[in-house]
Coordinates of all heavy atoms in Angstrom, one line a residue:
Chain A
Y27 N -12.5 19.1 2.9 CA -13.9 19.3 3.4 C -14.1 20.6 4.3 O -15.2 20.9 4.6 CB -14.4 18.1 4.3 CG -15.0 17.1 3.4 CD1 -14.8 15.7 3.7 CD2 -15.8 17.4 2.3 CE1 -15.4 14.7 2.9 CE2 -16.4 16.4 1.6 CZ -16.2 15.1 1.8 OH -16.8 14.1 1.1
G29 N -12.1 24.6 5.8 CA -11.0 25.5 5.7 C -9.9 25.3 6.7 O -8.9 26.0 6.8
C30 N -10.0 24.3 7.6 CA -8.9 24.0 8.6 C -7.7 23.5 7.8 O -6.6 23.8 8.2 CB -9.4 22.9 9.6 SG -10.7 23.5 10.7
G31 N -7.9 22.7 6.8 CA -6.8 22.2 6.0 C -6.0 21.2 6.6 O -4.7 21.3 6.7
H52 N 1.6 17.0 11.4 CA 1.1 18.2 10.7 C 0.6 19.2 11.7 O -0.1 18.9 12.7 CB -0.1 17.7 9.8 CG -0.6 18.8 8.9 ND1 -1.5 19.8 9.3 CD2 -0.2 19.2 7.6 CE1 -1.7 20.6 8.3 NE2 -1.0 20.3 7.3
V54 N -1.8 21.4 11.8 CA -3.2 21.5 12.0 C -3.8 20.2 12.6 O -4.5 20.2 13.6 CB -4.0 22.0 10.8 CG1 -5.5 22.1 11.1 CG2 -3.5 23.3 10.3
R56 N -2.3 17.3 13.7 CA -1.7 16.8 14.9 C -2.3 15.4 15.2 O -2.8 15.1 16.3 CB -2.0 17.6 16.1 CG -1.3 19.0 16.1 CD -1.5 19.6 17.4 NE -1.0 21.0 17.5 CZ -1.4 21.9 18.4 NH1 -2.3 21.5 19.3 NH2 -0.8 23.0 18.4
K62 N -15.5 13.9 8.9 CA -15.4 14.2 7.5 C -14.1 13.8 6.9 O -14.0 13.2 5.8 CB -15.7 15.7 7.2 CG -17.2 16.0 7.3 CD -17.5 17.4 7.0 CE -17.1 18.2 8.2 NZ -17.6 19.6 8.2
E68 N -14.1 8.7 0.2 CA -15.2 7.8 -0.3 C -15.9 8.2 -1.5 O -16.4 7.4 -2.3 CB -16.3 7.6 0.9 CG -15.7 6.7 2.0 CD -16.8 6.5 3.1 OE1 -17.9 6.7 2.8 OE2 -16.3 6.0 4.1
R75 N -19.6 9.1 -10.3 CA -18.6 10.0 -10.9 C -18.9 10.1 -12.4 O -19.1 9.1 -13.1 CB -17.2 9.5 -10.7 CG -16.6 9.9 -9.3 CD -16.2 11.3 -9.2 NE -15.2 11.8 -10.1 CZ -13.9 11.7 -9.9 NH1 -13.4 11.1 -8.8 NH2 -13.0 12.2 -10.8
L76 N -18.8 11.3 -13.0 CA -18.9 11.5 -14.4 C -17.6 10.9 -15.0 O -16.5 11.1 -14.6 CB -18.9 13.0 -14.8 CG -20.2 13.7 -14.5 CD1 -20.0 15.2 -14.7 CD2 -21.3 13.2 -15.5
S77 N -17.8 10.0 -16.1 CA -16.6 9.4 -16.6 C -16.3 9.9 -18.0 O -15.2 9.7 -18.6 CB -16.7 7.9 -16.5 OG -17.8 7.5 -17.3
L80 N -20.0 15.2 -21.6 CA -21.4 15.2 -22.1 C -21.6 16.4 -23.0 O -21.2 17.5 -22.6 CB -22.4 15.2 -21.0 CG -22.2 14.0 -19.9 CD1 -23.2 14.3 -18.7 CD2 -22.5 12.7 -20.6
R82 N -24.9 18.4 -25.2 CA -26.3 18.4 -25.4 C -26.6 18.3 -26.9 O -26.1 19.0 -27.7 CB -27.0 19.7 -24.9 CG -28.5 19.6 -24.8 CD -29.0 20.8 -24.0 NE -28.7 20.7 -22.6 CZ -29.3 20.0 -21.7 NH1 -30.3 19.2 -22.0 NH2 -28.9 20.0 -20.4
W92 N -13.6 13.9 -25.8 CA -13.1 15.2 -25.3 C -13.0 16.2 -26.4 O -13.3 17.4 -26.2 CB -11.7 14.9 -24.7 CG -11.8 14.6 -23.2 CD1 -11.7 13.4 -22.6 CD2 -12.1 15.5 -22.2 NE1 -12.0 13.5 -21.3 CE2 -12.2 14.8 -20.9 CE3 -12.3 16.9 -22.1 CZ2 -12.4 15.4 -19.7 CZ3 -12.6 17.5 -20.9 CH2 -12.6 16.8 -19.7
D93 N -12.5 15.8 -27.6 CA -12.3 16.7 -28.7 C -13.7 17.4 -29.1 O -13.8 18.6 -29.2 CB -11.8 16.0 -30.0 CG -10.3 16.1 -30.0 OD1 -9.7 17.1 -29.4 OD2 -9.6 15.2 -30.6
D97 N -14.4 21.3 -28.5 CA -14.7 22.1 -29.7 C -16.1 22.8 -29.5 O -16.2 24.0 -29.7 CB -14.8 21.2 -30.9 CG -13.5 20.8 -31.4 OD1 -12.5 21.4 -31.0 OD2 -13.4 19.8 -32.2
D113 N -18.3 40.9 -22.2 CA -18.9 41.1 -20.9 C -20.3 40.3 -20.8 O -20.9 40.3 -19.8 CB -19.1 42.5 -20.5 CG -17.8 43.2 -20.2 OD1 -16.9 42.5 -19.7 OD2 -17.7 44.4 -20.3
A114 N -20.7 39.7 -21.9 CA -21.9 38.8 -21.9 C -21.5 37.4 -21.4 O -22.4 36.6 -21.3 CB -22.5 38.7 -23.2
G116 N -20.0 35.1 -18.2 CA -19.7 35.1 -16.8 C -19.0 33.8 -16.4 O -19.4 32.7 -17.0
L118 N -17.7 31.3 -13.2 CA -17.6 31.0 -11.8 C -16.5 30.0 -11.5 O -16.4 28.9 -12.0 CB -18.9 30.4 -11.3 CG -20.1 31.3 -11.3 CD1 -21.3 30.6 -10.7 CD2 -19.8 32.6 -10.6
A121 N -14.1 27.3 -5.0 CA -13.3 27.2 -3.7 C -13.0 25.7 -3.5 O -12.4 25.4 -2.5 CB -14.2 27.7 -2.6
C123 N -11.4 23.9 -6.0 CA -10.3 23.6 -6.9 C -9.0 24.2 -6.3 O -9.0 24.9 -5.3 CB -10.6 24.2 -8.2 SG -11.9 23.3 -9.1
N125 N -5.3 26.3 -6.1 CA -4.9 27.6 -6.4 C -4.5 27.7 -7.9 O -4.8 28.7 -8.6 CB -3.7 28.0 -5.6 CG -4.1 28.2 -4.1 OD1 -5.2 28.6 -3.8 ND2 -3.2 27.9 -3.2
E126 N -3.8 26.7 -8.4 CA -3.3 26.7 -9.8 C -4.5 26.8 -10.7 O -4.5 27.5 -11.7 CB -2.4 25.5 -10.1 CG -1.0 25.5 -9.4 CD -1.1 25.1 -7.9 OE1 -2.2 24.9 -7.4 OE2 0.0 25.2 -7.2
K133 N -7.1 33.8 -15.3 CA -6.3 34.2 -16.5 C -7.1 34.0 -17.8 O -7.1 34.9 -18.7 CB -5.0 33.5 -16.5 CG -4.1 33.8 -17.7 CD -2.7 33.1 -17.6 CE -1.9 33.3 -18.9 NZ -0.6 32.6 -18.9
R136 N -9.8 36.6 -18.1 CA -9.4 38.0 -18.4 C -8.6 38.1 -19.7 O -8.9 39.0 -20.6 CB -8.5 38.5 -17.3 CG -9.3 38.6 -16.0 CD -8.5 39.2 -14.8 NE -9.5 39.7 -13.9 CZ -9.6 39.3 -12.6 NH1 -8.8 38.4 -12.1 NH2 -10.6 39.8 -11.8
N142 N -13.8 40.8 -16.9 CA -13.5 40.6 -15.5 C -14.6 39.9 -14.8 O -14.7 39.8 -13.6 CB -13.2 41.9 -14.8 CG -11.8 42.4 -15.1 OD1 -10.8 41.6 -15.1 ND2 -11.6 43.7 -15.5
N143 N -15.6 39.4 -15.6 CA -16.8 38.7 -14.9 C -16.4 37.3 -14.4 O -16.7 36.3 -14.9 CB -17.9 38.5 -15.9 CG -18.6 39.8 -16.3 OD1 -18.4 40.8 -15.6 ND2 -19.3 39.7 -17.4
I144 N -15.6 37.4 -13.3 CA -15.3 36.1 -12.6 C -15.5 36.2 -11.1 O -15.2 37.2 -10.5 CB -13.8 35.7 -12.9 CG1 -13.5 34.4 -12.2 CG2 -12.8 36.8 -12.6 CD1 -12.4 33.6 -12.8
D145 N -16.1 35.2 -10.6 CA -16.3 35.2 -9.1 C -16.4 33.8 -8.7 O -16.3 32.8 -9.5 CB -17.7 35.9 -8.8 CG -17.7 36.5 -7.4 OD1 -16.9 36.2 -6.6 OD2 -18.7 37.2 -7.1
H146 N -16.6 33.5 -7.4 CA -16.8 32.2 -6.8 C -17.6 32.3 -5.6 O -18.1 33.4 -5.3 CB -15.4 31.6 -6.5 CG -14.7 32.3 -5.4 ND1 -14.1 33.5 -5.5 CD2 -14.6 31.9 -4.1 CE1 -13.7 33.9 -4.3 NE2 -14.0 32.9 -3.4
R149 N -18.7 34.0 -0.7 CA -19.6 34.7 0.1 C -20.7 33.7 0.6 O -21.6 34.1 1.3 CB -20.2 35.8 -0.6 CG -19.2 36.8 -1.1 CD -19.8 37.8 -2.0 NE -18.8 38.8 -2.5 CZ -18.1 38.6 -3.6 NH1 -18.2 37.4 -4.2 NH2 -17.2 39.4 -4.0
Chain B
N242 N -3.0 27.3 15.6 CA -2.3 26.8 16.8 C -2.1 27.9 17.9 O -1.9 27.7 19.0 CB -1.0 26.2 16.5 CG -1.1 24.9 15.9 OD1 -2.2 24.2 16.1 ND2 -0.1 24.5 15.1
D245 N -4.1 28.0 21.1 CA -3.6 27.3 22.3 C -3.2 28.3 23.4 O -3.3 27.9 24.6 CB -2.3 26.5 21.9 CG -2.6 25.4 21.0 OD1 -3.8 25.1 20.8 OD2 -1.6 24.8 20.5
Q263 N -11.4 21.2 13.8 CA -10.0 21.3 14.4 C -9.9 22.6 15.2 O -9.2 22.7 16.2 CB -8.9 21.3 13.3 CG -8.7 20.0 12.6 CD -8.1 18.9 13.5 OE1 -8.1 19.1 14.7 NE2 -7.7 17.8 12.9
R267 N -9.0 23.0 19.3 CA -8.1 23.9 19.9 C -8.8 24.7 21.0 O -8.2 25.0 22.1 CB -7.5 24.9 18.9 CG -6.7 24.3 17.8 CD -5.5 23.6 18.3 NE -4.6 23.3 17.2 CZ -4.7 22.3 16.4 NH1 -5.7 21.4 16.5 NH2 -3.9 22.1 15.4
N417 N -10.8 25.7 0.0 CA -9.9 26.7 -0.6 C -10.6 28.0 -0.9 O -10.2 28.6 -1.9 CB -9.3 26.0 -1.9 CG -8.0 26.7 -2.3 OD1 -7.3 27.3 -1.4 ND2 -7.7 26.8 -3.5
A426 N -9.9 35.1 -8.3 CA -11.2 34.6 -8.8 C -12.3 35.6 -8.3 O -13.2 35.2 -7.6 CB -11.5 33.2 -8.4
L427 N -12.1 36.8 -8.5 CA -12.9 37.9 -8.0 C -13.0 39.0 -9.1 O -12.1 39.1 -9.9 CB -12.3 38.6 -6.8 CG -12.3 37.7 -5.5 CD1 -11.4 38.4 -4.4 CD2 -13.7 37.5 -4.9
P428 N -14.2 39.7 -9.2 CA -14.4 40.5 -10.4 C -13.5 41.8 -10.4 O -13.4 42.5 -11.4 CB -15.9 40.9 -10.3 CG -16.3 40.5 -8.9 CD -15.4 39.5 -8.4
R457 N -12.6 47.6 -16.7 CA -13.8 47.7 -15.8 C -13.9 46.5 -15.0 O -13.8 45.4 -15.5 CB -15.0 47.9 -16.7 CG -16.2 48.6 -16.0 CD -17.1 49.3 -17.0 NE -17.4 48.3 -18.1 CZ -18.5 47.6 -18.2 NH1 -19.4 47.7 -17.3 NH2 -18.7 46.8 -19.2
M460 N -18.7 41.5 -13.0 CA -19.9 41.3 -12.3 C -19.7 40.3 -11.1 O -18.9 39.4 -11.3 CB -21.0 40.7 -13.2 CG -21.6 41.7 -14.1 SD -22.3 40.9 -15.5 CE -23.9 40.5 -14.9
L462 N -21.0 37.2 -8.5 CA -21.8 36.0 -8.7 C -23.3 36.3 -8.6 O -24.1 35.8 -9.4 CB -21.4 35.0 -7.6 CG -22.3 33.8 -7.4 CD1 -21.4 32.6 -7.5 CD2 -23.0 33.8 -6.1
R484 N -25.0 36.1 -21.1 CA -25.6 35.1 -22.0 C -25.0 33.8 -22.0 O -25.5 32.8 -22.6 CB -25.5 35.7 -23.4 CG -25.9 37.2 -23.6 CD -27.3 37.3 -23.9 NE -27.7 38.6 -24.1 CZ -28.8 39.0 -24.6 NH1 -29.8 38.1 -24.9 NH2 -29.1 40.3 -24.8
A485 N -23.8 33.7 -21.5 CA -23.1 32.4 -21.5 C -22.3 32.3 -20.2 O -21.9 33.3 -19.6 CB -22.1 32.3 -22.6
Y487 N -19.4 29.8 -17.8 CA -18.5 28.7 -17.6 C -18.4 28.5 -16.1 O -18.0 29.4 -15.4 CB -17.2 29.0 -18.3 CG -16.1 27.9 -18.1 CD1 -16.3 26.7 -17.5 CD2 -14.8 28.2 -18.6 CE1 -15.3 25.8 -17.4 CE2 -13.8 27.3 -18.5 CZ -14.0 26.0 -17.9 OH -13.0 25.1 -17.7
M489 N -17.0 26.2 -13.0 CA -16.0 25.2 -12.7 C -16.3 24.7 -11.2 O -16.1 25.5 -10.3 CB -14.6 25.7 -12.8 CG -13.5 24.8 -12.3 SD -11.8 25.3 -12.7 CE -11.5 26.4 -11.3
L518 N -17.3 16.9 -10.8 CA -17.1 15.5 -10.5 C -18.4 14.7 -10.8 O -18.4 13.5 -11.2 CB -16.7 15.2 -9.1 CG -15.6 16.0 -8.5 CD1 -15.3 15.5 -7.1 CD2 -14.3 15.7 -9.4
R525 N -26.8 19.6 -15.0 CA -28.0 19.0 -15.8 C -28.5 20.1 -16.7 O -29.2 19.7 -17.7 CB -29.1 18.7 -14.8 CG -29.0 17.3 -14.2 CD -30.2 17.0 -13.3 NE -29.7 16.4 -12.1 CZ -29.4 15.1 -12.0 NH1 -29.6 14.3 -13.1 NH2 -29.0 14.5 -11.0
A527 N -26.6 22.2 -18.4 CA -25.5 22.7 -19.3 C -25.6 22.2 -20.7 O -26.3 21.2 -21.0 CB -24.2 22.2 -18.7
D528 N -24.9 22.8 -21.6 CA -24.8 22.4 -23.0 C -23.6 21.4 -23.1 O -23.6 20.5 -23.9 CB -24.6 23.6 -23.9 CG -25.9 24.5 -23.9 OD1 -26.9 24.1 -24.5 OD2 -25.8 25.5 -23.2
V530 N -20.8 19.3 -20.5 CA -20.3 19.0 -19.2 C -19.0 18.3 -19.3 O -18.8 17.3 -20.0 CB -21.3 18.1 -18.5 CG1 -20.9 17.8 -17.0 CG2 -22.7 18.7 -18.4
E538 N -6.7 13.1 -7.5 CA -6.2 12.7 -8.9 C -5.3 13.8 -9.5 O -5.1 13.8 -10.7 CB -7.4 12.5 -9.8 CG -8.2 11.3 -9.3 CD -9.7 11.5 -9.6 OE1 -10.1 11.8 -10.7 OE2 -10.5 11.2 -8.6
T542 N -1.9 23.2 -5.1 CA -1.9 23.8 -3.7 C -3.3 24.3 -3.3 O -4.1 24.6 -4.2 CB -0.9 24.9 -3.6 OG1 -1.3 25.9 -4.5 CG2 0.5 24.5 -3.9
N545 N -5.4 27.3 3.4 CA -6.4 27.1 4.5 C -6.8 28.5 5.2 O -6.3 29.5 4.8 CB -6.0 26.0 5.5 CG -5.0 26.5 6.5 OD1 -4.5 27.6 6.4 ND2 -4.6 25.7 7.4
S546 N -7.6 28.4 6.2 CA -8.1 29.6 6.9 C -7.0 30.4 7.4 O -7.1 31.6 7.6 CB -9.0 29.2 8.0 OG -10.3 29.1 7.6
Q551 N -0.6 24.8 1.1 CA -0.1 23.5 1.2 C -0.2 22.7 -0.1 O -1.2 22.9 -0.9 CB -1.0 22.7 2.2 CG -1.2 23.4 3.5 CD -1.7 22.5 4.6 OE1 -1.0 21.6 5.1 NE2 -3.0 22.6 4.9
D562 N -12.6 8.8 -17.6 CA -12.0 9.7 -18.6 C -11.9 11.1 -18.1 O -12.0 12.1 -18.8 CB -12.8 9.6 -19.9 CG -11.9 10.0 -21.1 OD1 -10.7 10.2 -20.9 OD2 -12.5 10.1 -22.2
R576 N -8.0 26.4 -28.2 CA -9.1 26.5 -29.2 C -9.6 27.9 -29.4 O -10.2 28.1 -30.5 CB -10.2 25.5 -28.8 CG -9.9 24.1 -29.1 CD -11.0 23.2 -28.5 NE -10.9 21.8 -29.0 CZ -10.0 20.9 -28.7 NH1 -9.0 21.3 -27.8 NH2 -10.0 19.7 -29.1
Y583 N 1.7 24.6 -20.0 CA 2.4 24.4 -18.7 C 2.8 22.9 -18.6 O 2.0 22.1 -18.9 CB 1.6 24.8 -17.5 CG 1.1 26.2 -17.5 CD1 -0.1 26.6 -18.1 CD2 1.9 27.2 -16.9 CE1 -0.5 27.9 -18.1 CE2 1.5 28.5 -16.9 CZ 0.3 28.9 -17.5 OH -0.1 30.2 -17.5
H605 N 6.7 25.2 -5.5 CA 6.3 23.8 -5.1 C 7.4 23.1 -4.4 O 7.2 22.4 -3.5 CB 5.8 23.0 -6.3 CG 4.4 23.2 -6.7 ND1 3.7 22.4 -7.4 CD2 3.6 24.2 -6.4 CE1 2.4 22.8 -7.6 NE2 2.4 24.0 -7.0
Y667 N -22.4 19.0 10.8 CA -21.1 18.4 11.0 C -20.7 17.4 9.9 O -19.6 17.4 9.4 CB -21.1 17.7 12.3 CG -19.8 17.0 12.7 CD1 -18.6 17.7 12.5 CD2 -19.8 15.8 13.4 CE1 -17.4 17.1 12.9 CE2 -18.6 15.3 13.9 CZ -17.4 15.9 13.6 OH -16.3 15.3 14.0
Y670 N -20.8 18.6 3.6 CA -20.0 19.7 3.0 C -20.7 20.4 1.9 O -21.1 19.7 0.9 CB -18.7 19.1 2.5 CG -17.8 20.0 1.8 CD1 -17.2 21.1 2.5 CD2 -17.5 19.9 0.5 CE1 -16.3 21.9 1.9 CE2 -16.7 20.8 -0.2 CZ -16.1 21.8 0.5 OH -15.3 22.7 -0.1
A680 N -20.7 6.9 2.4 CA -21.7 6.1 3.1 C -21.8 6.5 4.6 O -22.8 6.7 5.2 CB -21.4 4.6 3.0
A756 N -19.9 43.9 0.4 CA -19.4 42.6 0.1 C -20.3 41.8 -0.8 O -19.9 40.8 -1.3 CB -19.1 41.9 1.4

Side-chain angles (χ1 to χ4, degrees):
Chain A
Y27 274 143
C30 292
H52 190 275
V54 179
R56 292 186 183 164
K62 280 178 286 193
E68 287 183 16
R75 278 287 299 272
L76 286 168
S77 61
L80 303 172
R82 192 169 294 279
W92 270 102
D93 268 333
D97 286 342
D113 288 335
L118 294 184
C123 289
N125 290 328
E126 289 78 1
K133 177 175 174 181
R136 296 185 158 118
N142 282 314
N143 289 344
I144 178 158
D145 204 350
H146 67 284
R149 304 172 179 83
Chain B
N242 287 336
D245 291 349
Q263 290 291 14
R267 299 296 194 281
N417 200 28
L427 290 170
R457 206 156 44 98
M460 289 157 83
L462 170 125
R484 311 270 186 168
Y487 177 3
M489 171 172 88
L518 306 183
R525 278 179 220 282
D528 296 286
V530 183
E538 298 146 46
T542 60
N545 77 355
S546 272
Q551 311 193 73
D562 203 7
R576 281 173 166 74
Y583 300 91
H605 277 201
Y667 185 37
Y670 175 66

